[in-house]
Amino acid sequence: MQWIDTLERRFGHLAIPHLIRLVVFFNAFVWILLQVNPEFVHALTLDTSLVRQGQVWRLFSYIFIPPPTSFLWIAFALMFFWMLGEGLEQAWGSFRLNLFYLVGMIGTTVAAWLTPGGTTNVYLNLSVLFAFATLYPNYEILLFLILPLKIKWLAWASFGFLLLTFFSGSITLQAAIAASFVNYALFFGRDLWQLARHRKQVTSRRRRFEEAAATADDPLHRCAVCQRTDESDPDLEFRVSSDDEEYCVDHLPLKA
C-alpha cells in the first residue's frame, strides 16, 4: 500500500526489530511477577481514570499482561505468539509489523478512553493471529502437540467465538473488539474487498456460462401436445400454428 510505503521511507529507521519477541519476553516476566504478587496486575491495566492522574505508562503496559493460566499453557501461548510475530515480520519487515501493532494499540486505547472498563490486550493479540492466517492460511501447527491443523481453521474458529462475544457483550466490549481490529481493516480491508468482488464476478460469469450451456442443450423444436422434440425423434416434422404454438405433424391443428 502506497501510504505505508511513504511512512516506511520517512520513519522506517524508528522501527523496533523483533517487536513481538519483546512483547513475549515482558509477558513472561510479568507472569513470573504475578505468581509472586497477583495484585501487581492492577499497576498495569489500562485504567483511563488513573492515566488522567499521570500514570501514563498504562497506555502501553497493558500489552504485557499475560493470560491468567498455568505454566504449561502460558509457555505454549507465548511460543505461539512468538511464531506469529516472526512470520509477520518475515513477510512485512519490522516497520510494517510495528505499524500494525501500534495501530491496534491506539484503537484499543481509544476504545478504553471512550468506554472505560474491561479493555484488555486479548483482541489486539487476536488481530495478530488473523493477520498471520491471512498471509499464511495453509501453515500447519500441531494442536496439543499431536493434531496437525491449518492456521486458517484456528482463525475461523476464533472468529466465530469473537462474533458470539461481540453480539452478546456490552457496548464497552463491542467497542474494544472493533477498535482492536482497525489495524487488520487498514492492512487487509482493500485486498479482502477486491477478493470478494472478484469471487462475485467469477460466480456471475459461471452462472451465465451455465445458463448459456443449458440453453444450448435445449431442443430446437417441441410439440405443444405430445412434448416430443427434434432430439427425441429426429425424423419428426414440426409446424408453427396460428396460435404461435409449435406442433408435430401428428398433432397439428386443422387451422394451422
Side-chain angles (χ1 to χ4, degrees):
M1 289 176 285
Q2 187 174 1
W3 65 275
I4 296 181
D5 294 336
T6 301
L7 289 175
E8 186 168 11
R9 285 193 297 268
R10 293 183 178 180
F11 307 108
H13 63 284
L14 300 176
I16 302 174
H18 306 296
L19 173 65
I20 300 302
R21 291 187 187 182
L22 293 176
V23 175
V24 168
F25 171 80
F26 280 108
N27 269 259
F29 181 67
V30 171
W31 185 88
I32 294 173
L33 292 179
L34 293 179
Q35 305 313 301
V36 178
N37 180 14
E39 297 301 318
F40 179 69
V41 69
H42 299 302
L44 305 177
T45 55
L46 183 53
D47 188 329
T48 55
S49 63
L50 295 177
V51 172
R52 294 190 188 97
Q53 297 176 21
Q55 299 182 17
V56 294
W57 67 83
R58 295 177 181 273
L59 293 175
F60 61 88
S61 63
Y62 71 93
I63 69 174
F64 303 132
I65 301 176
T69 185
S70 65
F71 172 78
L72 181 63
W73 282 108
I74 194 63
F76 172 78
L78 294 182
M79 286 190 296
F80 181 67
F81 194 54
W82 179 301
M83 182 269 295
L84 297 180
E86 292 297 297
L88 290 178
E89 188 156 1
Q90 184 177 1
W92 284 341
S94 298
F95 178 79
R96 294 189 178 218
L97 176 58
N98 277 235
L99 182 62
F100 181 85
Y101 202 70
L102 176 62
V103 172
M105 284 180 59
I106 293 173
T108 303
T109 302
V110 170
W113 210 273
L114 296 176
T115 53
T119 303
T120 70
N121 60 11
V122 172
Y123 307 112
L124 170 60
N125 293 342
L126 197 57
S127 71
V128 175
L129 167 62
F130 289 164
F132 185 93
T134 303
L135 294 177
Y136 306 99
N138 295 317
Y139 185 89
E140 283 193 349
I141 61 173
L142 290 178
L143 190 64
F144 303 116
L145 304 178
I146 299 175
L147 180 65
L149 179 69
K150 290 184 177 180
I151 197 75
K152 62 182 179 182
W153 302 127
L154 178 61
W156 276 114
S158 300
F159 182 69
F161 284 113
L162 187 67
L163 285 181
L164 290 176
T165 303
F166 181 86
F167 288 111
S168 62
S170 63
I171 295 178
T172 299
L173 185 58
Q174 291 174 348
I177 293 174
S180 297
F181 287 93
V182 170
N183 53 357
Y184 185 86
L186 285 176
F187 274 70
F188 296 101
R190 181 179 179 182
D191 292 339
L192 294 178
W193 172 255
Q194 291 178 344
L195 178 61
R197 288 186 60 187
H198 175 69
R199 288 182 175 176
K200 183 178 179 180
Q201 292 172 354
V202 170
T203 301
S204 178
R205 291 171 186 168
R206 183 183 295 114
R207 184 173 61 252
R208 289 199 300 268
F209 175 80
E210 292 173 350
E211 290 174 352
T215 302
D217 292 339
D218 288 342
L220 183 61
H221 303 289
R222 183 187 299 273
C223 177
V225 176
C226 66
Q227 297 299 310
R228 287 186 294 176
T229 68
D230 57 314
E231 292 184 358
S232 63
D233 194 341
D235 297 327
L236 192 62
E237 295 184 7
F238 295 85
R239 298 288 187 275
V240 178
S241 179
S242 57
D243 60 359
D244 292 330
E245 293 287 349
E246 193 172 30
Y247 301 89
C248 66
V249 292
D250 296 338
H251 298 98
L252 189 65
L254 296 178
K255 294 182 179 181

